[in-house]
Amino acid sequence: MLVISRREVEELLDVDELIDAVASAMADLSAGRASVPNRVGARVADPDGLLAAMPGFTPSAGALASKLVTLFPGNTELPTHQAVIVMFDPASGRPDALLDGTAITAIRTAAGSALSVRLLARPDSSTLAILGTGVQARAHLDAVPRVREFGQVRIAGRDPARAEALAEQLAGELGLPVHAAPSYAEACGGADVVCATTHPVEPVVRR
């Protein structure tokens, strides 16, 4: 069985090709060709966490796979979502590959958002707002600008200092005009595209 590490996933995964692959998979799902049963999960009470199993078959890609993913919202040093993915031969059911799924989960989610922007956002969209400062914020800033050319990118989070640091870092890495906004409301005001990449279940109120 082929084993592919997170580092190898990050080196080999082509985000532009991934967005197109997500488009084909979504078309399969909408047409009823894909088999994607409801996920099942095991709860962890302390700390609050979840282990979920997500099998699926996508005919357009000939992909038969299952993902095991954990969701631990309280994580600070580690990602809240961590995963492994097992790929099977759809002709025989033989397990062919085990992949670190943490990076795939992050960028696949962002690729879905990028696909929606490609299909739904106005062609002249120029301002992107990213709500959140974690893994998904970074992934969305990698994927979404591939489908639209944004003249301004705003980042906002619960911690303004983290938003400032992330904006400064990504402006240098991506070569985009990335700025931190002092609040979610100010990030969203007048934005053409808004990506909610934050996990809180309670609204943030600042007085």
Side-chain angles (χ1 to χ4, degrees):
M1 181 188 297
L2 182 65
V3 178
I4 302 178
S5 69
R6 185 183 307 184
R7 178 183 59 80
E8 291 170 319
V9 167
E10 292 171 342
E11 289 177 354
L12 297 172
L13 190 62
D14 185 299
V15 179
D16 296 301
E17 290 185 6
L18 177 61
I19 295 170
D20 291 335
V22 168
S24 297
M26 293 290 190
D28 274 356
L29 182 63
S30 296
R33 294 187 295 266
S35 176
V36 187
N38 291 335
R39 70 188 70 181
V40 296
R43 285 281 181 187
V44 178
D46 186 20
D48 178 38
L50 174 72
L51 169 64
M54 303 165 61
F57 174 57
T58 308
S60 66
L64 177 63
S66 186
K67 179 166 76 170
L68 287 172
V69 58
T70 57
L71 170 57
F72 279 69
N75 283 0
T76 55
E77 299 301 320
L78 294 172
T80 56
H81 293 69
Q82 300 173 85
V84 294
I85 297 171
V86 184
M87 303 296 301
F88 297 85
D89 180 350
S92 67
R94 180 190 64 214
D96 283 337
L98 173 67
L99 297 83
D100 183 288
T102 302
I104 294 174
T105 295
I107 198 61
R108 195 279 313 157
T109 303
S113 296
L115 175 63
S116 70
V117 171
R118 186 168 76 184
L119 296 174
L120 301 173
R122 295 188 305 272
D124 62 349
S125 295
S126 62
T127 301
L128 169 65
I130 301 289
L131 309 184
T133 57
V135 171
Q136 278 300 323
R138 295 171 181 271
H140 276 68
L141 274 168
D142 182 14
V144 174
R146 295 170 182 268
V147 300
R148 286 290 185 277
E149 186 173 342
F150 293 101
Q152 183 182 32
V153 179
R154 305 170 187 162
I155 296 178
R158 288 175 291 172
D159 183 346
R162 286 190 65 180
E164 288 277 2
L166 183 61
E168 182 177 347
Q169 177 187 346
L170 292 178
E173 289 181 4
L174 302 176
L176 292 172
V178 184
H179 307 284
S183 69
Y184 291 142
E186 291 180 68
C188 294
D192 300 296
V193 174
V194 177
C195 295
T197 70
T198 182
H199 195 75
V201 295
E202 296 292 336
V204 176
V205 178
R206 293 198 181 98
R207 294 183 173 86

